[in-house]
Amino acid sequence: MKRHNYKNLKVWSLGIEIVDDVFKLTYSFPKEERFGLGSQINRCSVSIPSNIAEGSARTDKSFSHFIDIALGSSFELETQLIIANKRKYITKVQLIKIEDKIAEFQKMTMSFQNKL
């Protein structure tokens, strides 16, 4: 059975970049939101590369399921970031920049999943 080295996967690396970007964004959230929406956003972003890593040790069919979870987390993250923008915790420019990276991740991940 073929295993994937998740550290060599571009989708995993991009997921790690997204986590880093998200943590930088949430650091500036108001104190009262760091344990609310900020914490939820951070956990959601961490879920993306974590599911890719966990799934990489499985069969391709099972790996595809973990990729589905990572994709779902990316859409959830995008929604939470839109909420953060509406609450004025992040700017429209910051939102667009991270949304572009998330969209790139989603496109790349769907393409990778189709090749499994």
Side-chain angles (χ1 to χ4, degrees), residues 92-109:
K92 189 69 171 173
V93 171
Q94 289 172 312
L95 176 62
I96 290 168
K97 185 176 178 184
I98 192 72
E99 278 183 321
D100 288 347
K101 198 171 274 193
I102 292 169
E104 179 186 355
F105 169 82
Q106 291 164 343
K107 184 178 177 186
M108 188 186 299
T109 302

Side-chain angles (χ1 to χ4, degrees), residues 67-78:
I67 289 172
D68 279 337
I69 295 169
L71 276 169
S73 292
S74 74
F75 286 101
E76 180 183 356
L77 174 62
E78 194 170 13

Side-chain angles (χ1 to χ4, degrees), residues 5 7 11 16 22 25-27 31-34 36 48 54 65 70 76 81-82 88 91 96 116:
N5 183 341
K7 291 180 184 176
V11 292
I16 292 292
V22 163
L25 285 176
T26 59
Y27 185 76
K31 260 186 197 176
E32 65 273 10
E33 277 300 340
R34 287 197 189 148
I48 294 169
E54 184 175 355
H65 173 71
E76 180 183 356
L81 291 167
I82 290 167
K88 308 262 189 264
T91 67
I96 290 168
L116 283 178

Side-chain angles (χ1 to χ4, degrees), residues 26-93:
T26 59
Y27 185 76
S28 65
F29 276 27
K31 260 186 197 176
E32 65 273 10
E33 277 300 340
R34 287 197 189 148
F35 298 106
L37 183 60
S39 176
Q40 179 66 26
I41 289 171
N42 287 340
R43 287 192 316 270
C44 188
S45 71
V46 168
S47 173
I48 294 169
S50 297
N51 274 290
I52 293 169
E54 184 175 355
S56 70
R58 313 284 177 113
T59 63
D60 281 352
K61 183 179 178 184
S62 185
F63 190 15
S64 183
H65 173 71
F66 279 88
I67 289 172
D68 279 337
I69 295 169
L71 276 169
S73 292
S74 74
F75 286 101
E76 180 183 356
L77 174 62
E78 194 170 13
T79 299
Q80 292 167 354
L81 291 167
I82 290 167
I83 293 166
N85 171 252
K86 296 268 187 210
R87 302 290 308 150
K88 308 262 189 264
Y89 301 152
I90 62 173
T91 67
K92 189 69 171 173
V93 171

